[in-house]
Amino acid sequence: MANRIIDDFKSAFIGGGARANQFEVRLTFPEAAQSSSGDRSRFLVKSAALPGQAIDEVAVEFKGRTLYVAGDRTFETWTTTVINDESFNVRTDIEKWLNLINSMRDNVGVLSPSSYMQNIGVIQYSKNGAPIKAYELINCWPISVGQIDLSWDTRSEIETFDVTWRYTDFKGGGETARTLSQEIARLEDIAGIIGDAS
């Protein structure tokens, strides 16, 4: 009996489970921020998340009882952790992006949101390297870049920093009839990458 239960579970457990370390993030920087990192961010974003979402609830009071109905959809902020190589290119590009939004020196920035908002892709791969899920975060922009801790006591560690992003919504969450290969091709077009992921 126990063997049959395990066999049933094994046959239902497609691919042995998706692995959290099989992913790629494709950052796209605003043209006005003059990116110097190109598509290297694909290799330097060491942690991220598939986007979360929630539908708020609205409480409607009626004769001493509460009826909860669906409200509006909300999206959480999104956080990535980036490996800092000695070029500092990805960090510098994100700092340029923040400065484009609001200049550190004179407290001014671009007027149009389309000048600083970009779409960012995150792709989940299977163990054999085939893409199995892709999301495109729409109208992304960084709201904070974390500090990099420095210490004489630190040995054999590579610097990392966190970036927190805001976005309006995302594609790839089940609302579209696009195939996975179409999603990947769209992400490659956005990032200007001709990849071999499909």
Side-chain angles (χ1 to χ4, degrees):
M1 179 68 173
N3 286 343
R4 181 172 174 211
I5 292 171
I6 293 296
D7 288 342
D8 289 346
F9 176 67
K10 184 173 67 175
S11 65
F13 197 40
I14 297 172
R19 305 297 168 94
N21 64 349
Q22 300 297 310
F23 76 98
E24 177 180 313
V25 171
R26 298 185 179 182
L27 299 180
T28 307
F29 296 91
E31 188 175 322
Q34 301 171 352
S35 169
S36 56
S37 59
D39 70 342
R40 290 177 46 225
S41 60
R42 298 170 62 186
F43 306 103
L44 298 178
V45 177
K46 71 170 265 184
S47 71
L50 299 178
Q53 57 182 312
I55 295 179
D56 290 336
E57 59 186 20
V58 178
V60 181
E61 303 297 333
F62 179 74
K63 295 185 176 182
R65 297 288 186 258
T66 305
L67 170 66
Y68 290 96
V69 296
D72 295 325
R73 184 184 302 268
T74 59
F75 299 93
E76 305 166 1
T77 57
W78 187 64
T79 302
T80 56
T81 301
V82 181
I83 296 171
N84 194 36
D85 65 9
E86 289 192 355
S87 75
F88 272 74
N89 282 344
V90 175
R91 185 175 179 91
T92 300
D93 285 348
I94 293 170
E95 289 172 341
K96 286 182 194 174
W97 195 342
L98 288 166
N99 208 46
L100 176 70
I101 296 168
N102 182 261
S103 172
M104 200 176 299
R105 179 167 297 218
D106 53 18
N107 197 32
V108 298
V110 293
L111 298 177
S112 171
S114 62
S115 298
Y116 65 83
M117 292 181 175
Q118 292 290 307
N119 296 350
I120 292 177
V122 57
I123 304 167
Q124 173 78 56
Y125 293 98
S126 70
K127 292 182 303 216
N128 68 4
I132 54 177
K133 187 70 173 170
Y135 291 90
E136 179 186 5
L137 281 64
I138 309 298
N139 297 322
C140 270
W141 50 282
I143 59 175
S144 69
V145 59
Q147 67 183 25
I148 296 176
D149 294 327
L150 306 173
S151 171
W152 286 354
D153 298 328
T154 302
R155 282 182 259 172
S156 302
E157 287 184 30
I158 296 174
E159 294 175 353
T160 62
F161 60 93
D162 292 336
V163 182
T164 303
W165 308 85
R166 174 60 71 192
Y167 59 99
T168 56
D169 60 306
F170 59 80
K171 294 180 182 176
E175 83 298 339
T176 177
R178 278 193 282 273
T179 65
L180 181 62
S181 60
Q182 289 170 326
E183 290 287 324
I184 300 296
R186 187 168 48 78
L187 291 173
E188 289 173 350
D189 286 343
I190 291 163
I193 298 166
I194 305 301
D196 58 356
S198 54

